[in-house]
Amino acid sequence: MKSSPAEQKELLRLQRLDTRLQQLAHRLSALPQTKALAELDARDDAERRRRAEASGVLEDARIELGRVESDVAIVEARIARDSDRLTHTSSVKDVNALESELTSLRKRLSDLEDIEIAVMQRVEDAEGVVAGIDAVRETISADVIRVSTERDAASGELASERDQVTRDREAVASTISDELQAFYERRRAAGGGVGAALLQARTCGGCTITLTGSDLEAVRRAAPDDVIQCPDCERILVRTDESGI
């Protein structure tokens, strides 16, 4: 393949711009805020599961409290009824029976009230756990907003630079023939993102191998407009006054 020395040198500019675009793409995908947001999301997911469990505990305690309160209300109603009957009966037998039942009911009421207090404490404790988890999630949510803003700012700067570099690349590419560009792209795909390298002091800038012997002699014999490749990595070698040949 033939190409003027000036056009071949443009490949170095194109390569520098492509390398920068690769760096920017990597930085955009590896922003520290991206990792931080993933960690925050994992923390929030863990807290969400904790809240589901804590809400279940709270709901169970509230249901139990409702049952106890219902039992208390039933016993209180029976005490009120028996107390009323006691005041309206003159039968000694009925009085004895009612007083015995009232004693049992008051004992039952006292036991239920103790249970009610204990269950109310459980409800209060469970509500505290849920509120604590909600507070943690609110903090995480605030952190997500803050880190997202930082990420957007950082990615915005990188994206702006990427757009400028892309425009610069298009300008440089417009000065290179389609045939040479296609060859460069093939070598770049095969060369891990590097398709053209400077031959400096007889050393390939792509693989850092120094040319010697017949390889060096072949480069020396090549015409200035010959497109040559590194015999080792097969990247396009661009010759300049720094090539040392």
Side-chain angles (χ1 to χ4, degrees):
M1 182 184 298
K2 294 288 186 177
S3 173
S4 69
E7 186 179 40
Q8 291 185 49
K9 289 178 183 177
E10 288 299 286
L11 285 178
L12 295 178
R13 290 182 61 197
L14 191 65
Q15 180 63 71
R16 284 193 293 271
L17 293 168
D18 281 334
T19 297
R20 184 55 182 161
L21 285 173
Q22 284 181 306
Q23 293 169 343
L24 290 169
H26 174 73
R27 288 181 62 187
L28 280 167
S29 64
L31 286 170
Q33 292 86 357
T34 300
K35 180 180 178 181
L37 286 171
E39 292 173 350
L40 287 169
D41 184 63
R43 283 180 55 198
D44 187 63
D45 187 59
E47 293 299 327
R48 179 183 55 77
R49 291 195 297 272
R50 281 188 60 215
R51 192 188 194 285
E53 294 174 2
S55 295
V57 171
L58 175 59
E59 183 62 22
D60 289 345
R62 284 173 172 167
I63 291 173
E64 185 175 355
L65 179 60
R67 286 198 297 265
V68 174
E69 289 175 338
S70 176
D71 289 344
V72 167
I74 290 172
V75 172
E76 287 178 337
R78 289 180 62 185
I79 290 173
R81 182 199 63 190
D82 287 355
S83 295
D84 181 66
R85 288 173 60 189
L86 185 62
T87 61
H88 291 86
T89 183
S90 58
S91 169
V92 174
K93 182 180 178 181
D94 288 345
V95 167
N96 289 335
L98 288 169
E99 286 181 343
S100 177
E101 184 174 355
L102 283 168
T103 298
S104 297
L105 287 172
R106 291 189 180 103
K107 176 64 171 59
R108 174 61 176 158
L109 180 60
S110 178
D111 292 342
L112 285 173
E113 288 174 340
D114 289 342
I115 294 172
E116 183 179 29
I117 291 172
V119 176
M120 288 175 66
Q121 184 61 54
R122 284 171 50 199
V123 169
E124 184 178 340
D125 292 344
E127 288 174 340
V129 171
V130 171
I133 294 172
D134 287 343
V136 170
R137 294 192 71 194
E138 286 178 7
T139 299
I140 292 174
S141 179
D143 287 342
V144 167
I145 294 173
R146 174 181 57 78
V147 176
S148 294
T149 300
E150 293 174 358
R151 180 202 58 191
D152 292 344
S155 63
E157 293 173 3
L158 291 173
S160 178
E161 182 180 356
R162 179 196 59 198
D163 293 344
Q164 181 58 56
V165 174
T166 299
R167 288 191 292 270
D168 293 344
R169 187 193 190 282
E170 291 172 352
V172 172
S174 67
T175 67
I176 301 172
S177 70
D178 291 342
E179 183 182 15
L180 183 57
Q181 276 194 65
F183 185 53
Y184 161 78
E185 291 296 347
R186 290 197 297 273
R187 299 322 314 154
R188 190 162 76 93
V194 179
L198 173 66
L199 178 62
Q200 187 175 37
R202 295 177 293 176
T203 300
C204 171
C207 63
T208 70
I209 294 297
T210 298
L211 302 185
T212 59
S214 60
D215 290 334
L216 178 60
E217 188 58 32
V219 171
R220 284 172 172 166
R221 288 199 308 268
D225 62 350
D226 282 340
V227 176
I228 63 173
Q229 293 173 257
C230 172
D232 191 72
C233 68
E234 297 188 340
R235 294 180 174 96
I236 299 170
L237 280 180
V238 179
R239 293 161 288 171
T240 69
D241 293 340
E242 302 176 51
S243 297
I245 57 175

